[in-house]
Amino acid sequence: MSTKILVVDDDPDILEAISLILEAHGYKIVAARDGIEALNKLKEEKPDLMILDLLMPRLDGFGVCKELKDPRWAKYAHIPIIILSSVRQDASKRRYELETGVQLDVDDYVEKPIEHTVLLERIEKVLKKIGKT
């Protein structure tokens, strides 16, 4: 059974590029264009991993992370998250912690522009950690 990855980004070009790269490496891709769609797909598809953009309309990546802390989402809390951001990791974490008073509990960061070899390495590292490789 192939690993299912939920890719969340409002930029259709980035969404397509990541999907093509990951599908070429045997991953099954589920795409979402904002946080609300991401949460719906999380319930429907139950992915093994989520790649989440921070800056999106409707509900951004910060909002998704905050929502997943809610006990109603407890059965999805084990799904690892790799943050995709054009914002530096430290700035992203600080903004989230200031806004929510909660630590941004994600498994890894990949900065845009995305270096696909780095993305693949990070995905494999996270999947190995959860025993999915």
Side-chain angles (χ1 to χ4, degrees), residues 9 13 45 50 97 103 105 120:
D9 200 308
D13 295 335
E45 300 282 347
M50 178 166 30
E97 288 167 9
Q103 283 199 308
D105 184 21
L120 289 164

Side-chain angles (χ1 to χ4, degrees), residues 2-133:
S2 67
T3 303
K4 189 185 293 185
I5 300 177
L6 173 58
V7 182
V8 189
D9 200 308
D10 61 318
D11 182 328
D13 295 335
I14 290 175
L15 208 52
E16 184 181 2
I18 292 174
S19 297
L20 289 171
I21 291 164
L22 298 183
E23 284 170 345
H25 285 83
Y27 296 111
K28 182 178 184 332
I29 303 305
V30 176
R33 296 186 188 281
D34 61 50
I36 292 168
E37 195 180 337
L39 291 171
N40 290 331
K41 298 267 180 163
L42 199 59
K43 277 188 209 169
E44 291 166 19
E45 300 282 347
K46 298 172 185 57
D48 299 298
L49 171 74
M50 178 166 30
I51 297 175
L52 179 66
D53 184 23
L54 284 180
L55 307 175
M56 297 179 291
R58 296 206 312 154
L59 181 64
D60 63 13
F62 296 108
V64 171
C65 289
K66 188 177 177 186
E67 187 68 30
L68 291 174
K69 296 256 182 246
D70 187 295
R72 291 172 300 172
W73 289 93
K75 66 178 171 185
Y76 305 100
H78 68 282
I79 296 173
I81 299 172
I82 296 177
I83 291 290
L84 210 54
S85 182
S86 48
V87 183
R88 279 197 1 267
Q89 176 176 344
D90 314 343
S92 299
K93 276 192 169 169
R94 259 198 311 280
R95 176 186 154 196
Y96 180 80
E97 288 167 9
L98 286 170
E99 280 186 8
T100 64
V102 179
Q103 283 199 308
L104 188 55
D105 184 21
V106 298
D107 297 87
D108 211 337
Y109 270 79
V110 176
E111 290 179 17
K112 293 177 182 176
I114 301 150
E115 178 59 57
H116 76 273
T117 52
V118 171
L119 179 62
L120 289 164
E121 283 169 15
R122 304 281 174 85
I123 287 170
E124 285 170 23
K125 189 176 91 183
V126 170
L127 291 174
K128 195 171 282 177
K129 200 164 73 179
I130 61 165
K132 283 282 181 183
T133 53

